[in-house]
Amino acid sequence: MSLMTSGNRRDFLSAGIKLTAAGTLLGAGLSGRTAVAAACAPENLTHIDVSHYLLRNVRLEEGFVRHKGVITATRTGLYDIEINGAQITGIHAAGFSSTLPAWDAAGHVLLPATRDMHIHLDKTFYGDGWRAPLPRKSVIDMIHQEEQILPEIVPTSEMRAEKLIGLLQSKGNTEARSHCNIDPISKLDGLAHLQQAIEKHPQDFTAKIVAFPQHGLLRSNVEGMMREAMKMGANFVGGLDPTNVDGAMEKSLDTMFSIALDFAAPVDIHLHETEPHGVAAIRYMLKTVRENPQLKGKVTLSHAFALGTLSGSELDAMIEELKAQQFSIATTVPIGRVIMPLPQLRAAGVPVWSGTDTIADHWQPFGSGSMLEKANVYAQLYRGPDEFSLSRALGIATNEVLPLNSQGEQQWPKAQDSATMMLVAASCSAEAVAHIAPVMATFHNGKQVFGQLKKI
């Protein structure tokens, strides 16, 4: 059977993955629990409520299995994992003698928890029934729609953010970077509501906030409001398409960086532009960082679709400069006409992080909150169906923390590692990615934040 052409393959994946995402979200339900967990909750399953305990019968990856030099499988074994407070304090052979309270992991594989590095927790329809987006023509058209919707959703945005946090936890996420609208309609109310929602999860979820001028930094004249947002505790300075939305690339970017420099804050900019001025914007940002070394390592390009318009030596040079200035890329692993150079970026050492963007709002309804799904899409789009490639795909969801290194040596977990992890109904990380396996339990710094396990 011949391989599909790149275009046909992407069209096929676009339809299939959207169905998968919709099914995953339906399984999660508005309560934020997976269908599997909801269907398999007999009375003897409990939530871990102590700080020093054992997880018994945990499946850990031990190495790769090779046949004639080719990696064909992943070798695993069962262990008892001791957790004390926020750390893994012991990794013992299964059947370890102990009087500690213990719960049965039932042979599920233990993987690092995932991170949603691009989401909008502040504005969503999630938690209030089904509502499809309206047709759209452009980003400006979508901004006009949002201006009509925000007065309706901002008053209840704290409740909706809390529901989204629960959904993310059910998918194995314990950390998120959330963009938060700073605009003339919601003003600073959305930020205050989002902060209140996050403050309710001091021990079970970590979130950083990007002050995001969704209606344009210059277009909506919100520089002063952005500065107030930083004073209120936003962690990142955001930006948006400096040419297509703001109409003045250099002035828009200079304003964004001026705020960042004044508050010694990192930057995370939405850059959707694929036209030549999208590439020009990236080059201008690189120039700005070279001239202001204190910004080095503090710039994230979200989406960065312009990178998909480059090839050959031009792309190589751009990636080398992104690495030199320590830029990072946040991606939803897009399915579309632009093929992003995500494998090349990762191979060069440029951090590439996955994110949901939106779960269900007026922009799109396809998000599931699952970074395993993003790793799955990555593996499909970039031709990685084999055991090794599937295991490496997981890295975009975990900040490249993987159970095995590329040589097949066990590197996670180790004693004294943070107990921020998830139990997944799979035999190894490759299967977890390939099948978008259900998350059975999620832990943040040793605290169980999702799922139920049998006490033994």
Side-chain angles (χ1 to χ4, degrees):
M1 179 168 55
S2 62
L3 292 173
M4 298 180 185
T5 64
S6 178
N8 288 339
R9 179 178 177 81
R10 295 179 74 85
D11 291 342
F12 174 78
L13 290 174
S14 178
I17 292 166
K18 287 174 183 177
L19 287 172
T20 300
T24 303
L25 184 57
L26 180 62
L30 296 183
S31 67
R33 297 179 55 136
T34 64
V36 171
C40 304
E43 294 181 359
N44 62 337
L45 297 187
T46 65
H47 189 89
I48 298 173
D49 57 0
V50 295
S51 61
H52 192 187
Y53 59 93
L54 280 182
L55 282 179
R56 292 195 181 275
N57 303 312
V58 174
R59 187 169 301 280
L60 296 182
E61 298 188 359
E62 298 175 331
F64 291 129
V65 176
R66 291 176 170 82
H67 178 68
K68 296 182 178 179
V70 176
I71 293 171
T72 59
T74 301
R75 186 177 72 255
T76 65
L78 293 180
Y79 294 83
D80 293 343
I81 306 298
E82 184 177 347
I83 292 96
N84 192 353
Q87 292 184 318
I88 295 171
T89 54
I91 300 174
H92 311 288
F96 172 68
S97 178
S98 173
T99 59
L100 286 171
W103 281 261
D104 187 8
H108 299 312
V109 69
L110 188 72
L111 299 177
T114 54
R115 313 186 310 165
D116 192 322
M117 295 298 284
H118 186 105
I119 190 170
H120 297 259
L121 292 172
D122 66 311
K123 54 179 184 181
T124 179
F125 299 151
Y126 186 78
D128 195 26
W130 166 249
R131 182 171 172 179
L134 298 174
R136 84 283 307 277
K137 297 177 182 178
S138 65
V139 171
I140 297 297
D141 181 44
M142 295 300 290
I143 290 172
H144 287 318
Q145 288 188 27
E146 186 169 287
E147 290 169 345
Q148 303 302 311
I149 292 170
L150 283 173
E152 171 194 345
I153 65 175
V154 168
T156 57
S157 60
E158 180 182 345
M159 173 273 293
R160 295 165 190 266
E162 286 191 67
K163 288 182 178 292
L164 276 184
I165 289 172
L167 174 66
L168 292 181
Q169 290 173 325
S170 78
K171 302 298 181 179
N173 300 291
T174 66
E175 181 178 345
R177 184 183 296 181
S178 176
H179 297 258
C180 181
N181 265 40
I182 306 298
D183 64 73
I185 307 298
S186 55
K187 297 183 171 61
L188 298 171
D189 291 345
L191 174 59
H193 294 173
L194 178 57
Q195 288 175 322
Q196 289 163 10
I198 292 170
E199 286 168 3
K200 293 180 180 178
H201 298 271
Q203 296 182 321
D204 59 30
F205 194 76
T206 298
K208 301 294 184 182
I209 298 175
V210 183
F212 175 46
Q214 174 71 85
H215 301 175
L217 182 54
L218 305 182
R219 178 184 176 276
S220 61
N221 192 29
V222 292
E223 179 184 352
M225 205 178 298
M226 288 281 289
R227 291 179 177 276
E228 288 300 314
M230 300 309 295
K231 292 177 184 177
M232 285 178 61
N235 308 103
F236 289 76
V237 178
L240 177 67
D241 300 338
T243 300
N244 289 352
V245 175
D246 272 346
M249 186 260 282
E250 292 189 7
K251 184 178 180 181
S252 178
L253 294 176
D254 285 345
T255 303
M256 177 186 72
F257 280 120
S258 173
I259 300 170
L261 288 167
D262 287 348
F263 286 89
V267 165
D268 190 330
I269 179 173
H270 284 61
L271 191 65
H272 307 96
E273 298 167 346
T274 55
E275 302 86 348
H277 50 253
V279 175
I282 297 175
R283 288 183 172 142
Y284 190 81
M285 285 187 273
L286 286 165
K287 174 178 175 289
T288 301
V289 174
R290 287 196 300 271
E291 294 172 351
N292 298 272
Q294 61 269 51
L295 291 170
K296 188 172 182 178
K298 291 186 174 182
V299 178
T300 298
L301 303 179
S302 284
H303 306 305
F305 297 144
L307 294 176
T309 68
L310 302 178
S311 61
S313 61
E314 190 176 18
L315 175 61
D316 293 341
M318 176 68 82
I319 291 176
E320 190 60 34
E321 184 63 10
L322 290 169
K323 180 182 179 182
Q325 301 308 323
Q326 298 177 14
F327 277 46
S328 53
I329 306 296
T331 180
T332 60
V333 195
I335 309 161
R337 288 172 294 179
V338 176
I339 300 176
M340 294 292 293
L342 302 182
Q344 297 96 313
L345 288 160
R346 292 179 74 203
V350 176
V352 176
W353 304 321
S354 60
T356 296
D357 204 355
T358 63
I359 300 291
D361 65 8
H362 81 290
W363 291 86
Q364 61 98 353
F366 302 117
S368 70
S370 170
M371 294 306 103
L372 280 178
E373 181 184 297
K374 294 300 179 181
N376 172 283
V377 175
Y378 177 92
Q380 292 192 63
L381 288 177
Y382 300 104
R383 308 290 178 87
D386 59 282
E387 185 85 4
F388 179 77
S389 298
L390 287 166
S391 74
R392 301 304 92 183
L394 179 64
I396 68 165
T398 63
N399 194 27
E400 303 298 346
V401 178
L402 297 169
L404 304 178
N405 65 20
S406 293
Q407 290 71 47
E409 298 164 338
Q410 199 275 340
Q411 61 180 4
W412 182 94
K414 300 285 189 184
Q416 308 310 313
D417 280 348
S418 168
T420 298
M421 55 201 185
M422 58 181 180
L423 284 170
V424 180
S427 63
C428 62
S429 56
E431 183 185 7
V433 169
H435 291 166
I436 314 178
V439 174
M440 308 309 294
T442 306
F443 301 83
H444 183 62
N445 291 328
K447 178 180 175 64
Q448 187 181 4
V449 301
F450 168 76
Q452 293 184 314
L453 299 172
K454 182 180 178 181
K455 190 171 185 179
I456 53 178

